[in-house]
Amino acid sequence: AYTACNSYIWGGTTYTATGNYNKIFTAQNGCDSIVTLNLTIYRSSTSIVSINTCTSYTWPLTGITYTQSGNYSHTIVGGNANGCDSIITLQLNIPATPVSANITNTNVLCNGANNGTISITPTNGIAPYSIYIYDINDLSSSIRGYTAVAAGTSRTATSLPDGTYFVEVIDQYGCSYSANVTISEPATLNAIASVQQPVTCNQGTDGSVSVAVSGGTIPYNYLWITGSTNRTLTGIGSGN
């Protein structure tokens, strides 16, 4: 009985399967001899290891570091239980470009309001994505979360007060991109009116009043009870 890995050559014939094979050999004296080969063929074993990673991967089996996607093989000679080779294939997936995101924000319009926004559009990496937004002062749990975000789409968080937020984008491979986004608010709006020109005569209408404004968001718009939209109201008489 003979054993072999994958194939066996006998009498000029290659055998690749287990079985009993007969051959007739002619001796020098002209007599035939029938010989039976009892053959057992074992196979090399094959296995596949699939790895998804972000930028590079060092294969512990070989110590080689790979930076591009591909199929990489390594043979362990006589490594399986039957003494045949063990062939291991590494199926490695690395995104061509790391995950990133385009992030924009709008600030709060009025002091103390909560109408700020953050818009996130994931790019690169491998879709779909997950997006999480945290208050920078509390990273224990997100204040907004979006999952199964398709490539080329955006998510917008609304009703945000002023502050700094931590944005994290995670792709299908678990690779992540993060950034801090700050939403600001204007100072409190203040307006102080003062007399610029007192009325000079009884029942006169040559008085004027002006208003000084600070805080808020410029430009300012003015509207007096008379309908005037100027900063300074002129041609008025005495009164409140």
Side-chain angles (χ1 to χ4, degrees):
Y2 289 86
T3 61
C5 293
N6 302 315
S7 65
Y8 182 77
I9 299 175
W10 182 46
T13 302
T14 300
Y15 299 93
T16 59
T18 295
N20 294 318
Y21 302 96
N22 296 321
K23 270 189 176 296
I24 298 175
F25 295 92
T26 301
Q28 290 183 349
N29 60 8
C31 297
D32 291 338
S33 176
I34 300 175
V35 180
T36 298
L37 171 66
N38 184 351
L39 179 64
T40 299
I41 295 290
Y42 295 112
R43 302 296 176 188
S44 296
S45 59
T46 60
S47 59
I48 297 175
V49 177
S50 293
I51 297 293
N52 299 327
T53 189
C54 300
T55 55
S56 64
Y57 179 74
T58 300
W59 197 3
L61 187 64
T62 63
I64 298 175
T65 298
Y66 300 97
T67 58
Q68 292 183 336
S69 295
N71 293 328
Y72 304 97
S73 295
H74 177 71
T75 300
I76 301 175
V77 178
N80 70 14
N82 295 314
C84 297
D85 293 347
S86 177
I87 303 170
I88 304 170
T89 299
L90 170 66
Q91 291 183 340
L92 183 61
N93 299 303
I94 302 176
T97 50
V99 61
S100 185
N102 296 321
I103 302 175
T104 60
N105 70 282
T106 60
N107 293 321
V108 172
L109 296 179
C110 300
N111 183 272
N114 60 345
N115 50 16
T117 67
I118 299 176
S119 295
I120 306 105
T121 305
T123 60
N124 303 328
I126 304 297
Y129 308 93
S130 296
I131 301 172
Y132 300 98
I133 301 175
Y134 301 82
D135 186 322
I136 197 67
N137 297 312
D138 182 10
L139 300 178
S140 61
S141 61
S142 62
I143 61 170
R144 298 286 194 281
Y146 311 94
T147 58
V149 179
T153 62
S154 302
R155 295 294 184 270
T156 299
T158 61
S159 303
L160 299 175
D162 75 306
T164 299
Y165 298 88
F166 178 78
V167 177
E168 183 178 33
V169 178
I170 304 173
D171 73 359
Q172 185 181 15
Y173 287 176
C175 308
S176 64
Y177 169 83
S178 61
N180 289 343
V181 180
T182 298
I183 294 177
S184 61
E185 66 176 357
T188 302
L189 181 65
N190 293 298
I192 301 175
S194 60
V195 175
Q196 298 297 302
Q197 170 64 50
V199 176
T200 56
C201 299
N202 184 35
Q203 297 185 349
T205 57
D206 60 346
S208 65
V209 177
S210 184
V211 62
V213 183
S214 63
T217 303
I218 58 175
Y220 302 118
N221 296 315
Y222 306 89
L223 179 62
W224 297 91
I225 194 171
T226 63
S228 172
T229 56
N230 296 320
R231 177 184 174 187
T232 301
L233 179 64
T234 60
I236 58 175
S238 62
N240 295 320

